[in-house]
């Protein structure tokens, strides 16, 4: 299964989502693994270090022998030195849970290349790495109309290489619309008793309620949040000429502008302040953060930038 999976996926996804991945790139992904700063308690034996101690090859600690303990785990060398019965404890390797929170709001349906298509590919690549390493994956599509649940659709948890077909089908069928309330989406996830793990938020972060409270909430609940921030080239360097009406894709609010050099400079200043605020928040709270434009080479983002940001290893 392992050797044929990349080719099978490449054949299945050569149409739609701008050719999601090819077989060569999938083979490169199989050489990677998710990078977590701390250990989590998983559910099954996998590739990640857990906080649980049990039977494995990695020594963790000693504890006092108690009647009924497995005498085969007694350290007889320590007994000879200390005249004390001590039990060896080993750290188990268990599966990590990856939560992919994909912003599916109307503002993501913008840009050339399209931001939503880009974040779907990011989510697909991370899911593939996790499933290839026996980790668990859950995907949440954020965004909805007023009064609707903050998560429009979800999939998971899934585990095992064959589950990548389900994840890719889910991402390929996803469509943007509505607005995203990230804080409400995090509460939605927590209400389902989600186990702590990596929570990767793929978004343009153009969120009316902001992102900070959602990140703090995840960290408080012992998740490890990560931010993949995607913006379109036209948002970074807009071509503003003539009399324009700028319409908010989510609220429908609009503003009429006649761009001037002063207006363009003001836009760039506000954009820089927005990005600086995110960078400083991420640094202060120890959150891994990756920024990219939707026209950046995708393989470079995954294979180089995400490794530099310690998202992948």
């Amino acid at each position: 299964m392992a050797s044929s999976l990349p080719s099978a996926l490449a054949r299945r996804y050569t149409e739609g989502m701008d050719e999601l991945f090819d077989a060569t790139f999938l083979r490169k992904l199989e050489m990677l693994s998710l990078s977590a700063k701390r250990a989590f308690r998983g559910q099954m034996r996998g590739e990640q270090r857990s906080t649980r101690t049990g039977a494995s090859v990695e020594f963790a600690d000693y504890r006092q022998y108690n009647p009924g303990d497995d005498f085969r785990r007694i350290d007889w060398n320590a007994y000879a030195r200390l005249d004390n019965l001590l039990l060896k404890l080993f750290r188990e390797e268990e599966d990590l849970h990856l939560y992919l929170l994909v912003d599916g709001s109307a503002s993501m349906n913008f840009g050339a290349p399209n931001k939503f298509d880009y974040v779907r590919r990011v989510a697909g690549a991370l899911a593939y790495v996790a499933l290839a390493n026996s980790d668990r994956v859950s995907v949440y599509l954020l965004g909805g109309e007023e009064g609707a649940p903050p998560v429009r659709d979800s999939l998971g948890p899934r585990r095992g290489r064959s589950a990548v077909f389900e994840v890719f089908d889910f991402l390929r069928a996803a469509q943007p619309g509505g607005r995203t309330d990230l804080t409400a989406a995090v509460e939605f996830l927590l209400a389902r008793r989600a186990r702590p793990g990596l929570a990767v938020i793929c978004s343009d972060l153009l969120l009316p309620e902001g992102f900070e409270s959602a990140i703090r909430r995840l960290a408080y609940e012992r998740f490890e949040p990560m931010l993949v921030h995607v913006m379109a080239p036209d948002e970074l360097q807009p071509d503003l000429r003539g009399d324009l009406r700028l319409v908010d894709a989510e609220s429908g609010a609009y503003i009429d502008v006649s761009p001037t050099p002063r207006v363009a400079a003001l836009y760039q200043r506000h954009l820089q302040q927005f990005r600086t605020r995110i960078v400083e928040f991420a640094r202060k709270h120890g959150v891994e953060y990756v920024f990219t434009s939707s026209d950046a080479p995708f393989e470079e983002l995954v294979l180089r930038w995400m490794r530099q940001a310690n998202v992948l290893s």
Side-chain angles (χ1 to χ4, degrees):
M1 181 68 178
S3 60
S4 63
L5 186 59
S7 297
L9 283 171
R11 288 195 301 271
R12 186 167 176 179
Y13 295 102
T14 53
E15 297 179 358
M17 291 182 68
D18 296 324
E19 297 185 0
L20 189 59
F21 306 118
D22 60 28
T24 301
F25 181 60
L26 290 174
R27 279 190 284 270
K28 292 177 182 177
L29 290 181
E30 291 209 339
M31 300 173 65
L32 300 175
S33 61
L34 294 174
S35 180
K37 292 180 181 176
R38 64 172 184 267
F40 297 96
R41 293 192 64 162
Q43 294 173 293
M44 297 179 65
R45 189 176 301 277
E47 301 294 333
Q48 299 289 336
R49 288 189 177 90
S50 166
T51 54
R52 186 180 306 165
T53 52
S56 77
V57 296
E58 183 184 355
F59 174 75
D61 202 354
Y62 288 105
R63 74 165 171 81
Q64 192 72 33
Y65 174 81
N66 294 311
D69 286 334
D70 186 350
F71 67 88
R72 291 172 299 180
R73 289 166 54 194
I74 294 174
D75 188 330
W76 296 109
N77 290 328
Y79 175 75
R81 295 194 309 272
L82 305 174
D83 194 26
N84 193 11
L85 290 176
L86 298 175
L87 234 61
K88 285 184 178 180
L89 301 179
F90 297 90
R91 192 169 302 280
E92 288 187 351
E93 291 187 342
E94 297 185 344
D95 61 323
L96 176 70
H97 203 142
L98 170 67
Y99 300 89
L100 294 165
L101 282 68
V102 180
D103 187 350
S105 60
S107 73
M108 294 295 293
N109 190 24
F110 180 79
N114 184 273
K115 289 188 293 183
F116 188 63
D117 286 345
Y118 201 91
V119 298
R120 285 193 293 180
R121 296 186 74 197
V122 170
L126 293 176
Y128 186 87
V129 170
L131 293 170
N133 285 278
S134 302
D135 296 322
R136 292 180 182 270
V137 173
S138 294
V139 188
Y140 292 82
L141 177 63
L142 313 187
E145 303 303 327
E146 192 70 30
V151 174
R152 190 157 68 248
D153 202 359
S154 63
L155 175 74
R158 295 292 189 269
R159 187 175 189 269
R161 289 173 176 270
S162 61
V164 77
F165 291 103
E166 290 183 84
V167 173
F168 281 13
D169 281 337
F170 177 87
L171 291 170
R172 202 163 63 137
Q175 296 296 323
R179 60 190 295 274
T180 289
D181 184 336
L182 185 59
T183 300
V186 167
E187 293 300 333
F188 180 96
L189 182 154
L190 295 175
R192 278 143 186 80
R193 299 182 177 274
R195 289 174 175 266
L198 294 180
V200 182
I201 299 163
C202 304
S203 172
D204 57 10
L205 298 181
L206 299 175
L207 307 169
E209 290 82 9
F211 63 93
E212 292 90 343
S213 62
I215 297 296
R216 293 191 188 99
R217 184 80 168 99
L218 285 168
Y220 177 80
E221 296 293 339
R222 300 189 60 77
F223 287 72
E224 187 172 317
M226 297 180 178
L227 289 171
V228 179
H229 184 195
V230 179
M231 296 189 73
D234 287 348
E235 293 172 324
L236 299 173
Q237 294 291 337
D239 183 12
L240 302 177
R241 288 179 288 186
D243 295 330
L244 302 172
R245 171 166 290 183
L246 305 180
V247 182
D248 187 315
E250 298 178 14
S251 69
Y254 65 87
I255 182 173
D256 294 322
V257 297
S258 297
T260 64
R262 179 178 175 276
V263 170
L266 183 62
Y267 176 88
Q268 288 297 329
R269 183 158 65 248
H270 281 289
L271 175 63
Q272 187 58 48
Q273 289 171 352
F274 169 63
R275 291 184 56 188
T276 299
R277 175 167 64 92
I278 299 170
V279 170
E280 291 178 348
F281 178 90
R283 184 181 300 120
K284 178 180 178 181
H285 292 84
V287 175
E288 295 296 349
Y289 170 73
V290 175
F291 174 81
T292 182
S293 170
S294 61
D295 66 346
F298 181 74
E299 286 197 25
E300 188 171 4
L301 172 79
V302 173
L303 301 178
R304 185 166 67 87
W305 298 339
M306 284 195 175
R307 294 178 79 170
Q308 290 176 352
N310 298 318
V311 178
L312 296 172
S313 60

Short mmCIF file of all heavy atoms in Angstrom, two decimals, residues 86-117:
data_model
loop_
_atom_site.label_atom_id
_atom_site.label_comp_id
_atom_site.label_asym_id
_atom_site.label_seq_id
_atom_site.Cartn_x
_atom_site.Cartn_y
_atom_site.Cartn_z
N LEU A 86 13.97 -0.53 42.22
CA LEU A 86 13.44 0.55 41.38
C LEU A 86 12.95 -0.03 40.06
O LEU A 86 13.58 -0.92 39.48
CB LEU A 86 14.51 1.61 41.11
CG LEU A 86 15.05 2.34 42.35
CD1 LEU A 86 16.20 3.27 41.94
CD2 LEU A 86 13.95 3.13 43.03
N LEU A 87 11.83 0.48 39.60
CA LEU A 87 11.25 0.04 38.34
C LEU A 87 11.63 1.01 37.23
O LEU A 87 11.57 2.22 37.43
CB LEU A 87 9.72 -0.02 38.46
CG LEU A 87 9.03 -1.33 38.09
CD1 LEU A 87 9.54 -2.43 39.02
CD2 LEU A 87 7.53 -1.20 38.21
N LYS A 88 12.04 0.48 36.10
CA LYS A 88 12.29 1.33 34.93
C LYS A 88 10.96 1.71 34.26
O LYS A 88 10.10 0.85 34.06
CB LYS A 88 13.16 0.58 33.90
CG LYS A 88 14.62 0.47 34.25
CD LYS A 88 15.36 -0.20 33.11
CE LYS A 88 16.85 -0.31 33.39
NZ LYS A 88 17.56 -0.96 32.26
N LEU A 89 10.83 2.99 33.93
CA LEU A 89 9.68 3.47 33.18
C LEU A 89 10.14 3.90 31.79
O LEU A 89 11.19 4.53 31.65
CB LEU A 89 9.01 4.65 33.89
CG LEU A 89 8.50 4.38 35.32
CD1 LEU A 89 7.89 5.65 35.90
CD2 LEU A 89 7.48 3.25 35.32
N PHE A 90 9.37 3.56 30.81
CA PHE A 90 9.70 3.92 29.43
C PHE A 90 8.59 4.77 28.83
O PHE A 90 7.41 4.64 29.21
CB PHE A 90 9.90 2.65 28.58
CG PHE A 90 11.04 1.81 29.05
CD1 PHE A 90 10.85 0.81 29.99
CD2 PHE A 90 12.31 2.03 28.55
CE1 PHE A 90 11.91 0.04 30.43
CE2 PHE A 90 13.37 1.27 28.99
CZ PHE A 90 13.19 0.26 29.92
N ARG A 91 8.98 5.63 27.92
CA ARG A 91 8.01 6.50 27.27
C ARG A 91 7.42 5.82 26.05
O ARG A 91 8.13 5.34 25.19
CB ARG A 91 8.68 7.82 26.85
CG ARG A 91 7.67 8.88 26.45
CD ARG A 91 8.33 10.23 26.30
NE ARG A 91 8.98 10.65 27.52
CZ ARG A 91 8.35 11.18 28.58
NH1 ARG A 91 7.05 11.32 28.53
NH2 ARG A 91 9.02 11.53 29.64
N GLU A 92 6.10 5.79 26.02
CA GLU A 92 5.42 5.20 24.88
C GLU A 92 5.39 6.17 23.70
O GLU A 92 5.39 7.38 23.89
CB GLU A 92 3.98 4.83 25.24
CG GLU A 92 3.88 3.64 26.15
CD GLU A 92 2.44 3.22 26.35
OE1 GLU A 92 1.53 3.94 25.91
OE2 GLU A 92 2.23 2.14 26.93
N GLU A 93 5.37 5.62 22.53
CA GLU A 93 5.18 6.43 21.33
C GLU A 93 3.76 6.20 20.84
O GLU A 93 3.36 5.07 20.56
CB GLU A 93 6.19 6.05 20.25
CG GLU A 93 7.60 6.46 20.61
CD GLU A 93 8.56 6.23 19.48
OE1 GLU A 93 8.21 5.46 18.57
OE2 GLU A 93 9.65 6.81 19.50
N GLU A 94 2.99 7.26 20.78
CA GLU A 94 1.58 7.15 20.42
C GLU A 94 1.24 8.15 19.33
O GLU A 94 2.02 9.03 19.00
CB GLU A 94 0.71 7.38 21.66
CG GLU A 94 0.96 6.33 22.73
CD GLU A 94 0.02 6.48 23.90
OE1 GLU A 94 -0.60 7.54 24.02
OE2 GLU A 94 -0.07 5.53 24.68
N ASP A 95 0.04 8.01 18.80
CA ASP A 95 -0.35 8.86 17.69
C ASP A 95 -0.63 10.28 18.16
O ASP A 95 -1.13 10.52 19.25
CB ASP A 95 -1.57 8.28 16.98
CG ASP A 95 -2.79 8.16 17.89
OD1 ASP A 95 -2.59 7.83 19.07
OD2 ASP A 95 -3.89 8.42 17.41
N LEU A 96 -0.30 11.21 17.30
CA LEU A 96 -0.58 12.62 17.51
C LEU A 96 -1.90 12.93 16.83
O LEU A 96 -2.23 12.34 15.81
CB LEU A 96 0.54 13.45 16.90
CG LEU A 96 0.40 14.97 16.92
CD1 LEU A 96 0.55 15.49 18.34
CD2 LEU A 96 1.47 15.59 16.03
N HIS A 97 -2.66 13.86 17.37
CA HIS A 97 -3.90 14.26 16.71
C HIS A 97 -3.69 15.63 16.08
O HIS A 97 -3.34 16.59 16.75
CB HIS A 97 -5.06 14.30 17.70
CG HIS A 97 -6.39 14.16 17.02
ND1 HIS A 97 -7.45 13.46 17.55
CD2 HIS A 97 -6.82 14.64 15.83
CE1 HIS A 97 -8.48 13.51 16.72
NE2 HIS A 97 -8.12 14.23 15.66
N LEU A 98 -3.93 15.69 14.77
CA LEU A 98 -3.83 16.93 14.01
C LEU A 98 -5.24 17.44 13.70
O LEU A 98 -6.05 16.72 13.12
CB LEU A 98 -3.07 16.68 12.70
CG LEU A 98 -3.09 17.81 11.67
CD1 LEU A 98 -2.31 19.03 12.19
CD2 LEU A 98 -2.51 17.34 10.34
N TYR A 99 -5.48 18.68 14.10
CA TYR A 99 -6.75 19.33 13.79
C TYR A 99 -6.48 20.41 12.75
O TYR A 99 -5.69 21.33 12.99
CB TYR A 99 -7.36 19.96 15.05
CG TYR A 99 -7.65 18.96 16.15
CD1 TYR A 99 -6.67 18.66 17.10
CD2 TYR A 99 -8.88 18.31 16.22
CE1 TYR A 99 -6.93 17.74 18.11
CE2 TYR A 99 -9.14 17.39 17.23
CZ TYR A 99 -8.16 17.11 18.16
OH TYR A 99 -8.41 16.19 19.15
N LEU A 100 -7.12 20.30 11.60
CA LEU A 100 -6.97 21.28 10.53
C LEU A 100 -8.21 22.15 10.51
O LEU A 100 -9.32 21.69 10.19
CB LEU A 100 -6.79 20.57 9.19
CG LEU A 100 -5.49 19.76 9.06
CD1 LEU A 100 -5.57 18.81 7.88
CD2 LEU A 100 -4.29 20.68 8.93
N LEU A 101 -8.05 23.42 10.85
CA LEU A 101 -9.15 24.38 10.87
C LEU A 101 -9.00 25.24 9.62
O LEU A 101 -8.15 26.14 9.56
CB LEU A 101 -9.11 25.24 12.14
CG LEU A 101 -9.64 24.58 13.42
CD1 LEU A 101 -8.71 23.45 13.88
CD2 LEU A 101 -9.78 25.61 14.53
N VAL A 102 -9.81 24.94 8.61
CA VAL A 102 -9.69 25.58 7.30
C VAL A 102 -10.74 26.68 7.19
O VAL A 102 -11.94 26.42 7.28
CB VAL A 102 -9.89 24.54 6.17
CG1 VAL A 102 -9.78 25.20 4.81
CG2 VAL A 102 -8.87 23.41 6.31
N ASP A 103 -10.26 27.90 7.01
CA ASP A 103 -11.15 29.05 6.87
C ASP A 103 -11.89 28.95 5.53
O ASP A 103 -11.28 29.03 4.47
CB ASP A 103 -10.33 30.34 6.93
CG ASP A 103 -11.20 31.60 6.95
OD1 ASP A 103 -12.42 31.50 6.73
OD2 ASP A 103 -10.63 32.69 7.17
N GLY A 104 -13.20 28.77 5.61
CA GLY A 104 -14.01 28.67 4.40
C GLY A 104 -14.94 29.85 4.23
O GLY A 104 -16.01 29.71 3.62
N SER A 105 -14.56 31.01 4.75
CA SER A 105 -15.41 32.20 4.64
C SER A 105 -15.37 32.76 3.23
O SER A 105 -14.50 32.42 2.42
CB SER A 105 -14.97 33.26 5.65
OG SER A 105 -13.63 33.65 5.39
N ALA A 106 -16.29 33.67 2.94
CA ALA A 106 -16.38 34.24 1.60
C ALA A 106 -15.12 35.02 1.24
O ALA A 106 -14.75 35.09 0.06
CB ALA A 106 -17.61 35.15 1.51
N SER A 107 -14.45 35.60 2.22
CA SER A 107 -13.25 36.39 1.91
C SER A 107 -12.11 35.51 1.39
O SER A 107 -11.18 36.01 0.75
CB SER A 107 -12.76 37.15 3.15
OG SER A 107 -12.18 36.27 4.11
N MET A 108 -12.19 34.20 1.62
CA MET A 108 -11.16 33.30 1.12
C MET A 108 -11.31 33.02 -0.37
O MET A 108 -10.37 32.58 -1.03
CB MET A 108 -11.20 31.98 1.89
CG MET A 108 -10.83 32.10 3.36
SD MET A 108 -9.11 32.60 3.60
CE MET A 108 -8.26 31.16 2.97
N ASN A 109 -12.50 33.28 -0.90
CA ASN A 109 -12.76 33.03 -2.32
C ASN A 109 -12.31 34.24 -3.14
O ASN A 109 -13.11 34.94 -3.79
CB ASN A 109 -14.24 32.74 -2.55
CG ASN A 109 -14.52 32.24 -3.96
OD1 ASN A 109 -13.63 31.69 -4.61
ND2 ASN A 109 -15.73 32.43 -4.42
N PHE A 110 -11.03 34.50 -3.11
CA PHE A 110 -10.48 35.72 -3.73
C PHE A 110 -9.05 35.47 -4.15
O PHE A 110 -8.33 34.68 -3.54
CB PHE A 110 -10.54 36.89 -2.72
CG PHE A 110 -10.01 38.18 -3.27
CD1 PHE A 110 -10.77 38.97 -4.11
CD2 PHE A 110 -8.72 38.61 -2.95
CE1 PHE A 110 -10.28 40.16 -4.62
CE2 PHE A 110 -8.22 39.79 -3.45
CZ PHE A 110 -9.00 40.57 -4.29
N GLY A 111 -8.63 36.19 -5.17
CA GLY A 111 -7.24 36.18 -5.57
C GLY A 111 -6.95 35.25 -6.73
O GLY A 111 -7.71 34.33 -7.02
N ALA A 112 -5.85 35.51 -7.37
CA ALA A 112 -5.36 34.67 -8.46
C ALA A 112 -3.86 34.46 -8.23
O ALA A 112 -3.08 35.38 -8.43
CB ALA A 112 -5.61 35.33 -9.82
N PRO A 113 -3.50 33.26 -7.75
CA PRO A 113 -4.33 32.08 -7.45
C PRO A 113 -5.26 32.31 -6.25
O PRO A 113 -4.98 33.12 -5.38
CB PRO A 113 -3.30 30.99 -7.16
CG PRO A 113 -2.02 31.46 -7.75
CD PRO A 113 -2.06 32.95 -7.62
N ASN A 114 -6.34 31.54 -6.24
CA ASN A 114 -7.37 31.66 -5.23
C ASN A 114 -6.87 31.23 -3.85
O ASN A 114 -6.24 30.19 -3.70
CB ASN A 114 -8.57 30.79 -5.66
CG ASN A 114 -9.74 30.91 -4.73
OD1 ASN A 114 -9.84 30.19 -3.75
ND2 ASN A 114 -10.66 31.82 -5.06
N LYS A 115 -7.19 32.05 -2.83
CA LYS A 115 -6.72 31.76 -1.47
C LYS A 115 -7.29 30.46 -0.93
O LYS A 115 -6.59 29.69 -0.27
CB LYS A 115 -7.09 32.90 -0.52
CG LYS A 115 -6.33 34.18 -0.72
CD LYS A 115 -6.63 35.18 0.39
CE LYS A 115 -8.07 35.65 0.34
NZ LYS A 115 -8.34 36.68 1.38
N PHE A 116 -8.57 30.22 -1.21
CA PHE A 116 -9.19 29.01 -0.66
C PHE A 116 -8.58 27.75 -1.27
O PHE A 116 -8.34 26.77 -0.56
CB PHE A 116 -10.70 29.05 -0.90
CG PHE A 116 -11.43 27.93 -0.21
CD1 PHE A 116 -11.44 27.84 1.18
CD2 PHE A 116 -12.10 26.97 -0.92
CE1 PHE A 116 -12.10 26.82 1.84
CE2 PHE A 116 -12.78 25.94 -0.29
CZ PHE A 116 -12.78 25.87 1.09
N ASP A 117 -8.32 27.77 -2.56
CA ASP A 117 -7.65 26.63 -3.18
C ASP A 117 -6.28 26.40 -2.55
O ASP A 117 -5.87 25.26 -2.34
CB ASP A 117 -7.49 26.86 -4.69
CG ASP A 117 -8.81 26.70 -5.44
OD1 ASP A 117 -9.76 26.14 -4.85
OD2 ASP A 117 -8.89 27.14 -6.59
#
